[in-house]
Amino acid sequence: MHNAKAFSAASAQSPLAADSIPRREPTPSDVQIEILFCGICHSDLHQVRDEWHSVAPTVYPCVPGHEIVGRVTHVGSAVSQFKPGDLAAVGCLVDSDRECPQCRKDLENMCPNMTLTYNSPDKHGTAPVTYGGYSDSIVVDEHFVLSVPENLELAGVAPLLCAGITTYSPMKRFGVTTGQKVGVVGLGGLGHMGVKFAHAFGANTVVITTSEHKKEDALRLGANEVIISKNPAEMEKHAGTFDFILDTVSAKHDLDPYLHLLAGDGTLTLVGAPEEPISLSAFSLLFGRRRLAGSLIGGIAETQEMLDFCGKNNITADVEIVPIQQVNEAYDRLLKSDVKYRFCIDMASLKD
Ligand code: NAP
Ligand code: ZN
């Protein structure tokens, strides 16, 4: 065991502050990574403040962070895909049981025994729970380490590990393609990646936002059109026309206005994870036999596929780089939808 520098929260009410945490010595199948950048996901905020208490209570101290990129510093004797000096990335998963039907289908994100990058019981017993990427280093089993395309700007790659795969995976699954009308609800970290992917897949891409001032950015990011969801007349104009809608909203909201936008047989996939239950009318689904689905990140093979797709198509997240000392301020701004469009921590600041 060795110590790593990190930022952690001591309770749901505490700000994140400097801490020292244990990391295991690499086993033969482990890769040790010096973390260079870590994205700030709204899930980090939900977890740090224990907003998901009924589903995943937070164990403190909590070290969040699951959008990790860095450089390999050490590999175990059985590691074959990485060597010291390589770029490497880690997303929301660091382990799974690897033998259940889901794992056998490369769907580690659906494994009943998955180990999340933070706040999951630590199988290695290094600490009560796993500690995430707001840290200078991490040790992860090779199977859960991703290769990073060399041509992409690193800070913009970090958010692909959660915001990227979470939006890419359901669009792939529901066959988003040229000629379809695709909506992205909420233009934040996930939403702006959803726009980039829908555009790259050739869809007629529409941003559905509460923030009038994001209109120009939405078009620049690849949207063909923007709907201000607070304007009922604008919403009504698009009623019954969408093939697919991705809902990335982080706060409680009514689904009916968005389901109303779907064409017959259209699908709305929820990826946003508000703390409170979401309401909808049965009729929103009955008419047009519309579908409501959910999706959680993606499997490891698909995450690599997404990163390679981004490498080929030059796709990265739009990031505002912040030192770790500003993480609490970044959380406050996230709650005001004041982010363009993902905060990313420059981990060099942890040395200050
Ligand atoms: P974010 O950057 O804060 O973006 C959320 C966006 O939702 C905001 O920018 C805002 O967009 C919109 N919004 C906020 N409050 C709203 C409200 N009351 N009504 C309507 N729209 C509202 O957050 P994020 O990092 O993208 O994460 C979004 C959600 O996805 C979080 O709940 C997070 O935990 C969850 N998540 C899920 C997965 C998964 O695997 N399923 C993975 C990562 C994150 P506008 O200003 O454009 O309206
Ligand atoms: Zn996330």
Side-chain angles (χ1 to χ4, degrees), residues 27-338:
T27 69
S29 62
D30 277 340
V31 176
Q32 185 168 356
I33 299 165
E34 179 199 0
I35 301 176
L36 299 175
F37 292 99
C38 184
I40 297 180
C41 180
H42 205 117
S43 300
D44 299 349
L45 188 159
H46 288 305
Q47 192 76 66
V48 158
R49 301 192 176 171
D50 206 15
E51 292 177 353
W52 293 335
H53 188 83
S54 57
V55 185
T58 306
V59 176
Y60 295 96
C62 173
V63 180
H66 57 207
E67 297 185 334
I68 299 166
V69 291
R71 243 178 230 290
V72 175
T73 50
H74 182 91
V75 296
S77 55
V79 169
S80 61
Q81 303 300 312
F82 295 92
K83 58 180 190 318
D86 286 350
L87 288 176
V90 178
C92 303
L93 296 171
V94 290
D95 210 348
S96 65
D97 65 26
R98 319 230 199 142
E99 54 183 35
C100 73
Q102 308 298 350
C103 282
R104 282 199 218 118
K105 286 186 283 186
D106 289 334
L107 294 170
E108 298 90 345
N109 56 317
M110 288 164 64
C111 171
N113 301 305
M114 65 174 116
T115 304
L116 293 164
T117 304
Y118 58 84
N119 203 57
S120 266
D122 182 354
K123 280 189 198 166
H124 296 262
T126 319
V129 290
T130 50
Y131 293 139
Y134 294 9
S135 172
D136 58 4
S137 66
I138 192 164
V139 178
V140 179
D141 187 283
E142 173 179 35
H143 181 76
F144 294 84
V145 181
L146 289 307
S147 294
V148 176
E150 296 276 345
N151 59 315
L152 299 177
E153 185 244 330
L154 261 196
V157 170
L160 301 178
L161 277 299
C162 176
I165 185 60
T166 301
T167 51
Y168 179 94
S169 181
M171 287 198 194
K172 278 288 190 185
R173 169 159 158 67
F174 288 103
V176 165
T177 185
T178 311
Q180 290 185 339
K181 184 166 172 181
V182 169
V184 176
V185 186
L187 195 65
L190 265 57
H192 96 290
M193 288 313 307
V195 171
K196 290 188 185 207
F197 287 129
H199 175 78
F201 296 154
N204 173 10
T205 306
V206 182
V207 165
I208 304 159
T209 176
T210 59
S211 307
E212 185 116 33
H213 65 272
K214 292 183 183 173
K215 220 167 189 172
E216 241 173 70
D217 277 343
L219 298 172
R220 176 181 57 78
L221 290 164
N224 301 90
E225 237 178 303
V226 180
I227 303 174
I228 306 300
S229 53
K230 290 173 175 164
N231 182 336
E234 262 186 65
M235 291 286 274
E236 194 51 42
K237 225 172 61 189
H238 293 263
T241 61
F242 282 84
D243 298 291
F244 181 81
I245 295 176
L246 190 72
D247 180 337
T248 76
V249 175
S250 52
K252 186 178 179 175
H253 59 294
D254 181 7
L255 282 189
D256 293 319
Y258 303 107
L259 290 169
H260 194 63
L261 296 176
L262 287 175
D265 285 327
T267 302
L268 184 146
T269 295
L270 275 180
V271 287
E275 56 182 301
E276 291 173 83
I278 282 177
S279 67
L280 72 141
S281 154
F283 293 103
S284 297
L285 296 177
L286 304 189
F287 284 99
R289 60 177 194 196
R290 296 160 172 142
R291 283 176 298 197
L292 176 61
S295 194
L296 183 80
I297 47 173
I300 295 301
E302 194 177 40
T303 305
Q304 189 63 60
E305 174 192 306
M306 178 274 310
L307 284 170
D308 296 343
F309 179 86
C310 289
K312 277 199 198 87
N313 295 281
N314 237 323
I315 294 174
T316 52
D318 287 27
V319 290
E320 179 176 340
I321 299 175
V322 291
I324 196 150
Q325 292 77 8
Q326 278 175 24
V327 68
N328 297 300
E329 196 185 320
Y331 277 23
D332 291 343
R333 285 181 54 195
L334 206 54
L335 282 176
K336 295 183 205 143
S337 302
D338 175 23

